Structure formats: structure tokens, C-alpha cells
Amino acid sequence: MHWLASAESTNDVAARLAECGAEEGTTVVAEMQTAGRGRHGRVWFSPPGAGLYVSVIVRPAPSMSNDEQPAPLLTLAAGVAIAEAVRVATGLPAEIKWPNDVVIARRKLAGILAEAAMHGSSTRFIVLGFGVNLQPAAYPPELGSRVTSIEAETGRPVDRAFVLAEILAAISARCRDLREGRFDAILTAWRQLAVALPGARVEWDSPAGIVRGRAEGIDRHGALLVNVDGNIEKIVAGEVRWLA
Ligand code: BTN
């Protein structure tokens, strides 16, 4: 484990270590990030000590990835691991929002950015980066009621080393499930943790404009299935917004 006072992005530090041969499980933690990034090119606000900013190197077995999409199940597995670990470490009812945001009552608590390094069509390694809000200072106030933190939810100081240890143990266990082919265990756990998903009204941007429908669940590759006017649409990537 590399524990840094500051990093631009722990995902970049981990990728450089992986390029130099660092083994699976090598973990980079930073007290703060100066250029933390989220999904869809967003900034991930990373002030000192207010959140966990962590990246783990994963070297996938062939069964963990395919040519079109590197390790889709790995990103689901990481969401499962973080939600499970937050539940164990804090007692909070953490849930998952597709594909792998960890939320409490629809407020975002943690996000995952998995970045793959490819060689042709095969995945050389994946950097699994995650950020967990520990304190309200972890996010800009303008995000308001859409985000939350462990301390805001529990009302008491959080033992961040304990939360981190639980998360890393859970990621390790879920990666073992993947490596040993227990895909159903991941999907079942994901479905149990995404309790608000079935029947939820959702919308997303398509090239033809905004599409709305009712979420039905996920298929065995982790794609979101949405009922749009009686037809089932499959969403493999992108961002889905929940409607009230
Ligand atoms: C999201 O948009 O939900 C994903 C956020 C991922 C943030 C983490 S913090 C540690 C790692 N380093 C980064 O630059 N991003 C990820």
C-alpha cells in the first residue's frame, strides 16, 4: 500500500505503478487529490481528509473481461464490495445505483472509476479507483441533497482506516468470486443491494434525445434493462437519472 499526502489522481499513480509491474492488489491512497476525476469527465472534489481517495490495481483473468467492454462485472463487483463494506463498518443501509454508485436513500456516498489499460483487445490491467465521502466537506455545497457522507449519516466521527480495511477486504473477496467464476454470486448480491431499482422511473440521453422508461433489473452481463413503452432496452454504459 502506498499512502500519499497528496496526488493529482490516485488512478494515475496506480496506473504508473502497474506499468512498472506492480502486482495485483497494490493500493494507492491519498489524503487529498489535486486533480481527482469522476465518471463522464467530471471533477471528483478531493479535499484533505474529508474522503477516502483510493485506487487498486486489478490484473484480470480472461474470464473477467471481454473484447467490447473491459471487465463489466468487475465494476459491478466493486460496487457490491463497497456497499457491503460500508454496511459492515458503519451499519448504514448502503445501496447501489446502477452501475455502481453507492447511495444512501438516493444520496451518493461513493463513486467508482474503473480505468482499463488495453493491449489490442485484451485487458492488461484495470485501475479500480473509488472515492468515499467521509465528511460533508468532501463535496461542494452546491450538490446539496444529492450527496451524503458517512459522518452526516451516522452523526459521529468515522474510523476511516477501519472503513478502508473493510472495503479492501470486500474487494479482494469479490475479485476472488470473479476469478473463480462465481458470477451469479455477484449478480445476486448486486440485485439485493439495488433494492430501489426494479420499477424505478429513469431517463437517459440518447443520440435521439431523452428517453424515459421503467427499470426492470440487470442482465447477466450487468447491462441495465429498461421497459420503454413495452419494449426492453438494454443500457450498457452511460448515465441514468432517477425520476421521482
Ligand atoms: C464517480 O464519478 O462516481 C467516480 C468517482 C471516482 C473517484 C475516485 S477518488 C480515487 C480515484 N482517483 C480519481 O481521480 N478518481 C477515483
Side-chain angles (χ1 to χ4, degrees):
M1 179 178 290
H2 301 254
W3 200 297
L4 310 176
S6 178
E8 287 188 355
S9 160
T10 54
N11 268 28
D12 293 340
V13 178
R16 283 197 294 273
L17 290 169
E19 292 289 358
C20 295
E23 63 186 306
E24 162 143 318
T26 301
T27 300
V28 179
V29 187
E31 291 286 330
M32 60 177 280
Q33 297 183 113
T34 54
R37 57 179 182 272
R39 294 170 63 227
H40 311 299
R42 297 205 185 97
V43 168
W44 187 260
F45 201 57
S46 312
L52 287 174
Y53 317 114
V54 186
S55 300
V56 180
I57 296 172
V58 180
R59 295 193 178 272
S63 63
M64 288 164 76
S65 62
N66 64 37
D67 290 354
E68 301 94 56
Q69 224 188 332
L73 278 183
L74 177 63
T75 65
L76 291 195
V80 167
I82 294 176
E84 289 175 330
V86 166
R87 282 173 175 250
V88 170
T90 68
L92 292 170
E95 295 175 5
I96 301 177
K97 172 180 176 270
W98 185 87
N100 57 15
D101 280 352
V102 176
V103 298
I104 294 184
R106 293 196 176 187
R107 296 176 180 208
K108 182 156 168 169
L109 182 80
I112 298 169
L113 179 66
E115 295 179 315
M118 308 294 290
H119 181 74
S121 64
S122 63
T123 306
R124 288 163 49 230
F125 61 83
I126 293 173
V127 172
L128 194 61
F130 57 91
V132 182
N133 299 330
L134 298 175
Q135 300 170 344
Y139 39 84
E142 61 268 23
L143 291 184
S145 62
R146 287 183 289 144
V147 288
T148 192
S149 65
I150 291 178
E151 292 196 358
E153 295 293 329
T154 61
R156 56 176 189 272
V158 58
D159 179 347
R160 63 191 184 137
F162 178 53
V163 175
L164 176 59
E166 286 293 336
I167 291 175
L168 293 177
I171 288 176
S172 168
R174 288 302 180 181
C175 281
R176 200 173 317 119
D177 279 344
L178 278 180
R179 184 157 292 107
E180 294 172 8
R182 289 187 291 276
F183 306 131
D184 284 347
I186 310 266
L187 292 169
T188 302
W190 192 96
R191 290 184 179 112
Q192 283 168 352
L193 287 162
V195 284
L197 182 79
R201 291 181 59 235
V202 295
E203 69 171 26
W204 68 95
D205 299 318
S206 81
I210 294 178
V211 184
R212 296 198 175 89
R214 236 171 239 291
E216 302 244 323
I218 54 168
D219 72 7
R220 64 192 181 87
H221 305 291
L224 181 67
L225 304 173
V226 184
N227 187 325
V228 180
D229 300 330
N231 298 316
I232 300 298
E233 301 233 355
K234 208 187 261 195
I235 306 173
V236 292
E239 188 175 35
V240 165
R241 296 180 291 273
W242 293 13
L243 304 172

